[in-house]
Amino acid sequence: KAGVTQTPRYLIKTRGQQVTLSCSPISGHRSVSWYQQTPGQGLQFLFEYFSETQRNKGNFPGRFSGRQFSNSRSEMNVSTLELGDSALYLCASSHGTGEKGSYEQYFGPGTRLTVT
Amino acid sequence: GESVGLHLPTLSVQEGDNSIINCAYSNSASDYFIWYKQESGKGPQFIIDIRSNMDKRQGQRVTVLLNKTVKHLSLQIAATQPGDSAVYFCAETIRLILTGGGNKLTFGTGTQLKVEL
């Protein structure tokens, strides 16, 4: 079956702008988690959405937000971009219900965001 | 999903040798651990997991060891192949979060594995 897809793959924005990234989970998966990957901080959890509701949240400022649609697709938005927001943004999907085998998260290829 | 960890520790091994990648985790409450492999241009890929009620778990060519006393994980790769070259991350979480609904992984900093021919 098709894997997790993320669009766009690459993005260049200017400081102060806002950006929206998209993630389509594996068919049947209801949980989508977002992570930020940078050389300095590594992989950090942003938030998780399940059934259109934010279920877990990491320690990121309110400029980072997300949402999930009824078809489980998710978007994350970053407003008022800062240079430090330059990173690889990864999304991961899973069943999210705690059933056997549903712990495993499947990652997409990521969106490389560069803020200039 | 390339990893751009400019400051990652690196492990270089000869093809055919065994590799051991280590990870120290931080939360003593964590009870579920996962190893991921990230190749250049791709997102992290699940390798193997282990629950805290186990000390060892084996997969195909991989073994994960867990030492809860010192909060240490290791990933052993047998007969390392060129295709194993990647960045390896350990991740930890609390299963209550998972079973109660939720996915929140805390990742280690990663180790770059380089396989020399």
Side-chain angles (χ1 to χ4, degrees):
Chain A
K1 54 185 175 181
V4 178
T5 58
Q6 292 186 246
T7 57
R9 291 293 310 277
Y10 301 91
L11 203 51
I12 300 175
K13 289 286 189 178
T14 303
R15 191 170 45 184
Q17 289 184 313
Q18 66 94 27
V19 67
T20 299
L21 312 181
S22 180
C23 172
S24 293
I26 291 172
S27 177
H29 285 187
R30 294 163 62 190
S31 168
V32 174
S33 298
W34 289 90
Y35 293 84
Q36 181 194 65
Q37 187 173 28
T38 61
Q41 299 298 320
L43 270 159
Q44 292 187 292
F45 174 79
L46 280 155
F47 30 65
E48 183 222 1
Y49 284 86
F50 180 80
S51 293
E52 303 178 63
T53 301
Q54 188 180 87
R55 192 164 63 172
N56 283 291
K57 188 177 187 302
N59 299 319
F60 278 81
R63 300 186 298 107
F64 293 80
S65 63
R67 60 177 176 168
Q68 187 179 36
F69 303 95
S70 58
N71 61 357
S72 294
R73 189 177 70 86
S74 177
E75 290 180 346
M76 69 162 282
N77 183 278
V78 188
S79 62
T80 319
L81 284 165
E82 300 176 359
L83 296 179
D85 297 332
S86 294
L88 182 68
Y89 290 89
L90 292 157
C91 103
S93 80
S94 72
H95 289 289
T97 58
E99 297 169 5
K100 183 179 179 181
S102 70
Y103 300 153
E104 186 171 338
Q105 293 189 48
Y106 296 83
F107 283 82
T111 294
R112 166 69 59 192
L113 172 65
T114 301
V115 182
T116 62
Chain B
E2 75 267 23
S3 173
V4 290
L6 298 177
H7 305 293
L8 291 175
T10 299
L11 174 65
S12 294
V13 299
Q14 294 290 323
E15 181 181 5
D17 287 352
N18 296 333
S19 304
I20 300 176
I21 301 171
N22 296 303
C23 174
Y25 64 92
S26 56
N27 189 349
S28 57
S30 293
D31 59 2
Y32 179 64
F33 307 89
I34 311 164
W35 279 99
Y36 283 93
K37 170 186 180 183
Q38 188 173 23
E39 297 175 282
S40 182
K42 298 181 180 179
Q45 178 186 2
F46 176 94
I47 300 174
I48 191 169
D49 59 359
I50 188 168
R51 301 186 184 188
S52 59
N53 61 352
M54 303 171 70
D55 297 323
K56 178 180 180 179
R57 189 166 188 221
Q58 289 184 293
Q60 186 177 11
R61 279 202 309 120
V62 295
T63 300
V64 56
L65 299 178
L66 174 63
N67 185 329
K68 295 180 289 295
T69 302
V70 295
K71 292 191 287 187
H72 183 268
L73 275 171
S74 68
L75 177 71
Q76 301 178 359
I77 304 174
T80 311
Q81 303 168 0
D84 295 326
S85 293
V87 177
Y88 289 81
F89 295 95
C90 66
E92 61 180 294
T93 192
I94 302 171
R95 279 189 301 123
L96 181 62
I97 293 178
L98 300 178
T99 57
N103 290 306
K104 183 175 181 179
L105 297 174
T106 300
F107 282 84
T109 53
T111 296
Q112 174 83 55
L113 175 64
K114 293 185 177 180
V115 181
E116 299 170 349
L117 303 177

